[in-house]
Amino acid sequence: MNLRHSLQLRHVDAGSCNGCEIEIGSVFGPVYDAERIGARLVASPRHADALLVTGPVTHNMASPLERTYLAMPEPRLVIALGDCARDCGVFSGGYAVAGAVADVVPVDLEIPGCPPHPDEIVSALRRFTNR
Amino acid sequence: MIVLALVAGLGVLATLTALVPRAVRVKLVAGLLGLVEIVGGATAIRVLATNHAIVGHTSSLVPFTGVRIDLTPLGALFTLTTAVVAIAATIHWVGYRRHAMSSVSLSSAFALFVTSLLLVPAAGDIVTFLVLWEVMALSSLVLVAHDHAKRDETRQAAWWYGAMTQGGAALITLGLVVLGGHAANPSFSAIAASASHLPAATRGAVFLVLLVGFGSKAGLVPAHVWLPRAHAEAPAPASALLSGAMVNLGIYGIVLARTLLGVGATWWWLVAGFFGVISALYGSLYAATSTDLKRLLAYSTSDNMGLVVIGLSASGLFAAHNAAASSLALIATLVLVTAHALYKSTLFLGAGSVQYATDERDLDRLGGLARTMPVTTAVIVVGALAVAALPPLNGFGAEWLVVQSLVHGLSGADPVTTVATAVFVAALALTGGLTIVAFVKAVGVGFLGRARSESAEHAREVPVSMRIAPAITAAACVALGVAPGLAITAISRASDAVAPNRSGLTATLSGFHLQALRSAVDPLALALGAVAAALVVAGLRRAGGPRTGAKLRVFEPWGSGRAVTSARMQYTATSFAEPLQRVFDDVLAPQHDLDVSHVLESRYYVERVAYASANDDIVERRLYRPVLALAAVLGVRARGLANGSVHRYLAYGFVVLVIALVVVS
């Protein structure tokens, strides 16, 4: 999909331990500064091209995650960030966990790691921004 | 004369007919009342068409002076307006069966009220005028107090209304009696002939007294406090008559004062204009922040009467130097009075239908009525567009004329008049904006969106007579807006009775033309232009919108991941007005009360939050309440005077007698 050098991201924490959030903070911080390559965090799914999901999807967050996905304009992408988002990681089989992100919404890109290094996140985002 | 006697006779007959059994009462009374209204309206039309007043005098009925009738074209215009409003109100009343409106007392009071409203402008002398005025005031008081047994608010409204109307009547009586004492007889024509011989100070004082007396009836600030209470509590047909017909008579009284006393000094009209400006701004501000539909309409009435008084003041101020602008201002005022009568009765009847269907007046508990009550919503929208002075409705033409007269009156004016006129124009502009806010709120929150309460959800359209009644006045609003020529001849004849028309105003079927001032407007063309522009924009949007064949996806509103299910998440009337309330915080001084109670174990956990906000009338709170409290204290103190001792009472009598003798000697 051609996003013309610009990727608007809506971040949803579906049940993360916040390790991935710290790395995302670092990605958009002064060192890695993903805004240089055209990625940007936005405040509403209405403005987003892609959904950035972290953590295993808990029972409480399954419906909000799906609503957020449906609230986005088409065409839309879903990026599952971190091992938990891919296959529930260490929380697999936990009493509060509904499943991985792919069980709730269709996933276009997975970024492995627990948590993934900011370098890895930036290089994954560059696949969409082409910069 | 005989026709007016017929109106009075039929009116009394209708009042007495209220005694028949309940099953046929409303139909019989309404039928007779319809006859009264048609005969009264036809008489007024004949006076306006022939331009000959109906004059008559009989020495019977009232001792000493008899009854004198003098229905001038000016009075006929008010009678005709009242007749149209009353026809709609009577039709609405036939359907308004609940709320005990079909009882003997209320049926007879309604009949008497309508009859007296029609006849007050026909009164030709002081006594006839005051008797009819009091009949009007007292019969409407019965209507306001209709639900007194159940609701404390109704009792309060009746007390306020009764006190204000009697106070106003006392002032009117005082003013007219002073004038009558110097005239050969108590007829208005004799008073007008003799008033110019009175000293200027007396005439000024009489004008002030009459201005305050009639101004309280017209709902001018600060004598407006009865209006939001009485109009809100009265049953819909009665509130339509109060706002569409009775407040007009307050304006009629001020015009009457001018015909009796002449144009007078500049300061008279500066004082009147001051009250007009205050009323227009205060009324529109409270209308914009009210959440009760009928209170909102009542404050809007106060605002409109303020604009009318601004027009009257402009006419008085311009009379000396610019006869064209002066007579134009008077005509504009009368156009505004008739326009207001029509659109405000439409709105009050529509609001009454809403109250009938939902038992709610609070906008924050209404909503979604456009689907369940389409006819009522349509008439309310027409009324709201008219009160917001948008073309092609009658409010637009009226306000255009007022602005034209103010702008053109500036040429040749002295500095005081120039400054006053600038203030008038500014007040008009601010009022116009606030009125639009008020009515966008009323229609948007009350009728669009989703229902905010059970009763609004299950509202059913009202009986057919209650749908027809406001549609009649709404149709009149559209007709007079599109074709102002229908009424302008009649209105300029009415104003000729006060000051001859020099403005060269003519109205064709579709617009106003001011030859003397080289100005013209065509509301119909403006409206057609607006519709054409809207169609062009809609067409462009369609052309620029999704291509044909593109998939259209409908999804629920974004609620931060939660399902948006509650209608309470919508914009409310309170939240819509909140920014405005914040801007005018110093003027409105709304009261907020926030009460947070914590759980016993920890102050970090909240058990209950109670929030209350009140936006009550600040004039009432800061001006009337302290006076009433003082009166109550004095009343309690005065009880000490009456201790049951006969000796003491005899001493009182003796002292008063001595004082009286000293004063007399």
Side-chain angles (χ1 to χ4, degrees), chain B residues 109-110 112-114 116 134-144:
Chain B
F110 190 72
L112 205 54
F113 184 38
V114 169
S116 56
E134 278 306 287
V135 171
M136 172 185 86
L138 295 178
S139 55
S140 57
L141 181 58
V142 174
L143 290 171
V144 170

Side-chain angles (χ1 to χ4, degrees), chain A residues 44-46 64 67-68 70-74 76, chain B residues 551 553 555-564:
Chain A
S44 165
R46 296 276 194 236
R67 283 178 193 282
T68 310
L70 290 175
M72 288 166 68
E74 284 172 346
R76 54 197 170 194
Chain B
K551 198 176 66 175
R553 194 158 56 91
F555 187 63
E556 66 183 27
W558 174 238
S560 291
R562 275 170 302 192
V564 184

Side-chain angles (χ1 to χ4, degrees), chain B residues 26 46 54-55 133 137 153 159 162 168 181 200 248 251 260 279 354 374 388 460 497 510 577 582 585 609 611 624 663:
Chain B
V26 170
R46 212 191 74 200
I54 295 180
V55 186
W133 187 266
E153 289 93 334
W159 277 116
N248 291 352
I251 300 301
L260 295 182
S279 305
V354 169
R460 296 231 321 269
S510 68
R582 206 168 270 263
D585 201 46
V609 179
Y611 174 73
Y624 284 80
V663 170

Side-chain angles (χ1 to χ4, degrees), chain B residues 146-337:
Chain B
H146 75 296
D147 207 8
H148 65 94
K150 293 199 199 102
R151 289 169 56 83
D152 186 43
E153 289 93 334
T154 309
R155 283 195 292 276
Q156 290 282 329
W159 277 116
W160 279 92
Y161 175 50
M164 295 301 291
T165 190
Q166 290 308 301
L171 289 175
I172 294 167
T173 311
L174 176 67
L176 291 180
V177 164
V178 168
L179 287 180
H182 293 273
N185 63 48
S187 75
F188 287 147
S189 47
I191 291 174
S194 68
S196 54
H197 306 307
L198 287 175
T202 315
R203 288 168 57 209
V206 168
F207 178 80
L208 267 191
V209 166
L210 289 180
L211 178 69
V212 175
F214 286 119
S216 75
K217 189 55 90 181
L220 292 188
V221 176
H224 69 289
V225 282
W226 61 275
L227 211 111
R229 289 166 180 275
H231 287 207
E233 289 302 325
S239 19
L241 283 173
L242 285 177
S243 187
M246 197 183 73
V247 296
N248 291 352
L249 295 183
I251 300 301
Y252 172 73
I254 298 175
V255 180
L256 182 70
R258 176 171 161 179
T259 52
L260 295 182
L261 293 163
V263 171
T266 305
W267 69 264
W268 295 11
W269 300 107
L270 288 178
V271 172
F274 173 77
F275 285 121
V277 168
I278 297 288
S279 305
L281 295 181
Y282 190 88
S284 57
L285 192 54
Y286 268 95
T289 51
S290 292
T291 54
D292 180 323
L293 183 56
K294 286 177 87 176
R295 268 181 85 90
L296 184 155
L297 295 177
Y299 276 118
S300 163
T301 298
S302 199
D303 144 28
N304 275 274
M305 289 302 118
L307 295 183
V308 167
V309 172
I310 287 177
L312 281 181
S313 311
S315 174
L317 285 173
F318 299 156
H321 69 269
N322 194 337
S326 171
S327 59
L328 178 63
L330 189 63
I331 292 173
T333 304
L334 294 177
V335 173
L336 186 55
V337 168

Side-chain angles (χ1 to χ4, degrees), chain B residues 102 132 152 154 281 307 326 333 355 366 383 447 513 588 637:
Chain B
S102 52
L132 288 167
D152 186 43
T154 309
L281 295 181
L307 295 183
S326 171
T333 304
Q355 195 181 1
L366 291 172
F447 296 86
H513 299 276
L588 298 169
R637 292 258 174 89

